[in-house]
């Protein structure tokens, strides 16, 4: 019998844990079936790129992530207008559209307009019917050489900052950084004093 004011032993250890083990033996087979499904989808959507429609470059939200450039939902109506692409035509030629997005900086607007123009220059438009070609469709020579883009088309590439190398001078070596910081801290505290 246990002594003192303790919890009465009441352990439940016979839980039949073997009945509740989750196995993952189907993982290699699922990998194969996913790959086959991707290949079938690529054949079905030919000649469209496998990664889906073109996405714009946008900056992340909030102070923590706003320096990061990522792929957005869709191009704004202003960007499409500047690139000379009608908003009804854009989804039919593989360009995603987001009517809610607003351009708040000129730099991002220009970058996305340039992205659209580059895409439009490389675009090969197949006719809806092989026998009837309409205005705006590509030439038969371009259609013959067209290939399906595998993976990301025009992916987001982050520019690496360049580091400038300089020679260390005697003035730099003799500079007392901590002392300078303390002096400036004191000056800030005593600003406006007599």
């Amino acid at each position: 019998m246990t002594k003192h004011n303790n919890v009465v032993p009441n352990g439940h250890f016979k839980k039949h844990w073997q009945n509740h083990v989750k196995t993952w033996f189907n993982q290699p087979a699922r990998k194969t079936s996913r790959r086959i499904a991707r290949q079938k989808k690529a054949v079905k959507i030919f000649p469209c790129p496998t990664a889906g429609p073109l996405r714009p470059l946008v900056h992340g939200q909030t102070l923590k992530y706003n320096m990061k450039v990522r792929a957005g939902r869709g191009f704004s109506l202003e960007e499409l207008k500047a690139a000379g692409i009608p908003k009804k035509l854009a989804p039919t030629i593989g360009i995603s559209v987001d009517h809610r997005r607003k351009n708040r900086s000129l730099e991002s607007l220009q970058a996305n307009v340039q992205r659209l123009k580059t895409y439009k220059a490389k675009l090969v438009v197949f006719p809806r019917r092989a026998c009837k070609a309409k205005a705006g469709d590509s030439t038969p020579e371009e259609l013959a050489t067209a290939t399906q883009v595998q993976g990301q088309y025009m992916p987001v590439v982050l520019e690496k900052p360049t580091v400038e190398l300089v020679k260390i001078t005697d003035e730099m070596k003799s500079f007392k950084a901590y002392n300078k910081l303390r002096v400036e801290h004191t000056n800030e505290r005593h600003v406006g004093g007599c």
Side-chain angles (χ1 to χ4, degrees):
M1 188 66 193
T2 54
K3 290 187 177 181
H4 311 298
N5 188 18
N6 296 323
V7 177
V8 177
N10 189 21
H12 292 71
F13 298 112
K14 295 179 181 177
K15 293 189 184 351
H16 302 289
W17 61 266
Q18 290 94 337
N19 298 343
H20 306 291
V21 172
K22 191 172 175 68
T23 58
W24 202 27
F25 299 133
N26 61 352
Q27 191 249 343
R30 275 193 180 177
K31 183 181 178 180
T32 308
S33 62
R34 277 200 301 269
R35 192 182 78 244
I36 292 164
R38 280 196 298 272
Q39 289 169 350
K40 282 183 181 174
K41 185 183 176 185
V43 171
K44 188 181 174 184
I45 66 169
F46 180 85
C48 301
T50 56
L54 183 72
R55 305 283 178 183
L57 300 177
V58 299
H59 285 267
Q61 295 290 306
T62 71
L63 194 65
K64 186 176 180 182
Y65 297 109
N66 65 7
M67 83 294 293
K68 188 184 178 191
V69 178
R70 61 176 179 83
R73 181 185 175 86
F75 290 90
S76 69
L77 301 179
E78 194 180 347
E79 288 164 355
L80 292 169
K81 191 175 182 181
I85 300 169
K87 62 182 178 183
K88 293 277 178 76
L89 174 72
T92 65
I93 58 172
I95 298 169
S96 54
V97 181
D98 185 8
H99 63 89
R100 292 165 296 209
R101 219 178 107 239
K102 293 180 176 64
N103 291 100
R104 291 189 172 84
S105 76
L106 188 64
E107 289 85 358
S108 66
L109 172 70
Q110 288 170 344
N112 281 325
V113 168
Q114 187 57 46
R115 190 172 166 84
L116 284 168
K117 285 180 178 174
T118 308
Y119 176 78
K120 204 175 173 186
K122 294 179 181 180
L123 185 67
V124 176
V125 181
F126 279 64
R128 284 181 183 252
R129 293 181 187 164
C131 54
K132 283 189 178 180
K134 288 186 175 180
D137 293 342
S138 299
T139 59
E141 295 83 39
E142 287 178 330
L143 297 179
T145 57
T147 56
Q148 189 176 31
V149 178
Q150 301 289 331
Q152 284 291 324
Y153 183 68
M154 294 174 70
V156 178
V157 180
L158 301 175
E159 291 181 9
K160 289 187 177 178
T162 54
V163 178
E164 189 182 344
L165 301 174
V166 293
K167 291 267 184 176
I168 298 172
T169 60
D170 293 330
E171 187 184 347
M172 288 180 185
K173 287 179 182 178
S174 62
F175 179 68
K176 302 271 192 292
Y178 182 73
N179 293 0
K180 176 70 174 170
L181 282 171
R182 294 306 301 163
V183 168
E184 291 303 324
H185 182 69
T186 311
N187 291 345
E188 192 181 0
R189 277 180 59 218
H190 295 148
V191 69
C194 303

